[in-house]
Amino acid sequence: MKFKARLWDSLEDNKVKCHVCANECVILPEKVGICRTRKNFDGELYTLIYGSMISSGSLDPIEKKPLYNFWPGATAYSIASIGCSFKCQNCQNWNISQANPTNNGKNGFYSLEGLENRKMSLIEMTPEQLVENVKKSGATTLAYTYNEPLIWHEWILDTTVLLKQENIKTILVTNGYSTIEATKELIEVGIDAANIDIKSMSDEFYKTICGVKSVQPVLDTAKRFKSNGIHVEITNLIIPDLNDSNAEIEKLTNWIVENLGVDTPTHFSAYHPDFMQPSMKRTPFETLDNAYKIAMRAGINYVYVGNTRHKKGGNTYCPNCNHLIIGRSGYRFTKIDITDTKHCPKCQYDLSKDIKGEINRKASQRFSFF
Ligand code: SF4
Ligand code: SF4
């Protein structure tokens, strides 16, 4: 749905500059930005995807986002639109992240070869209709996921206001490539939690694999979110031969400790070849186990391993005495051992500042509409 955009400047010759993400595209008249979802109409910038989504939503366990220390066991009503500020060669959702809205048409300002005119029909709804759907589903959280939510800025602001009135938490699963202006608006509206993907600590990786200039905006967003009270978890997808060295993992985990704190849940995730396949290999178990150990040595209290079976990597342990607080097998709980006041039953360590919200002891089941 076409909707007047926020956060842009007029330039000479009817050009505009968008500040919704750190690409900060300068967009010529009748052209779109890198995400292909913001278009310059006669010197004014519009989003083409306000209220436009690929389906009415699906119900996921919150652990699938992944968020392990935020409302454990909650159901996340998950929705997605199309487009992305990145063009990662390993994208597992490339069919939606690299698509164009149907009313966008041809002449993408910047598109992947062969996908320039790949259009996708979307369903549309108002913020009120979305909130009604979430309420009917019984979900206590809403996750913007699958494609990049930051480019859905105006829609996220408007829906978060309404979701707050219903005490439904808003979650972003994001590449973190935000600007100071956009981050400020997201913090002010009250985003509750974010899983931020730090793909690498190297600008070279971001340039060659993701097609953007630098990791720095991602790190800045993580710091701003965390210091303003948003619950932040970090994901790092480990791709063989590209970002799997000890030096790279140490740099990432040391940065997390120094800038976000040891209480920041950190997820290492296994890669499997997809889209343009920057590596032909799946991530070996030993690489993930090695990353787990490096993060533990760096002092991170909540280290997780995803997309593979790891003896400890799905569990939450007490950082003080190592007692098993929440055991998981996939998205299923195998054990929950924490007091009602969120203290460790063994050493009385206070876990309430690290594990946010209520724990749903039954845990949710995935039910997809996609
Ligand atoms: S949101 Fe889209 S148009 Fe705006 S700066 Fe980012 S990629 Fe460019
Ligand atoms: S940031 Fe995520 S959605 Fe966007 S292209 Fe990369 S992997 Fe795909």
Side-chain angles (χ1 to χ4, degrees), residues 140-190:
T140 48
T141 70
L142 176 123
Y144 287 104
T145 182
Y146 301 121
N147 75 317
E148 176 48 48
L150 294 179
I151 62 169
W152 224 0
H153 187 72
E154 298 79 3
W155 168 256
I156 288 176
L157 294 182
D158 289 354
T159 53
T160 301
V161 170
L162 299 182
L163 290 164
K164 280 214 153 327
Q165 292 168 6
E166 304 296 336
N167 203 22
I168 295 164
K169 311 294 175 198
T170 302
I171 296 164
L172 304 182
V173 181
T174 174
N175 64 27
Y177 208 61
S178 188
T179 58
I180 293 177
E181 302 94 310
T183 304
K184 186 167 176 282
E185 292 197 334
L186 293 167
I187 290 166
E188 282 170 1
V189 81

Side-chain angles (χ1 to χ4, degrees), residues 287-298:
T287 305
L288 295 156
D289 188 48
N290 184 46
Y292 180 88
K293 287 173 180 156
I294 290 173
M296 295 296 285
R297 276 202 300 276

Side-chain angles (χ1 to χ4, degrees), residues 62-63 67-75 233 316 326 328 333 336 342 354-364:
I62 199 166
E63 285 78 8
L67 288 177
Y68 278 27
N69 286 30
F70 185 81
W71 291 77
T75 298
E233 303 199 11
T316 304
I326 302 176
R328 297 180 185 86
F333 292 145
I336 299 175
K342 293 220 202 100
D354 298 348
I355 301 177
K356 312 276 173 57
E358 292 165 20
I359 300 173
N360 175 14
R361 290 170 186 265
K362 288 183 190 151
S364 76

Side-chain angles (χ1 to χ4, degrees), residues 84 86-88 90-92 97-98 146-148 175 199:
C84 186
F86 286 13
K87 53 182 181 66
C88 302
N90 58 290
C91 185
Q92 291 171 7
S97 74
Q98 307 303 325
Y146 301 121
N147 75 317
E148 176 48 48
N175 64 27
K199 295 168 188 290

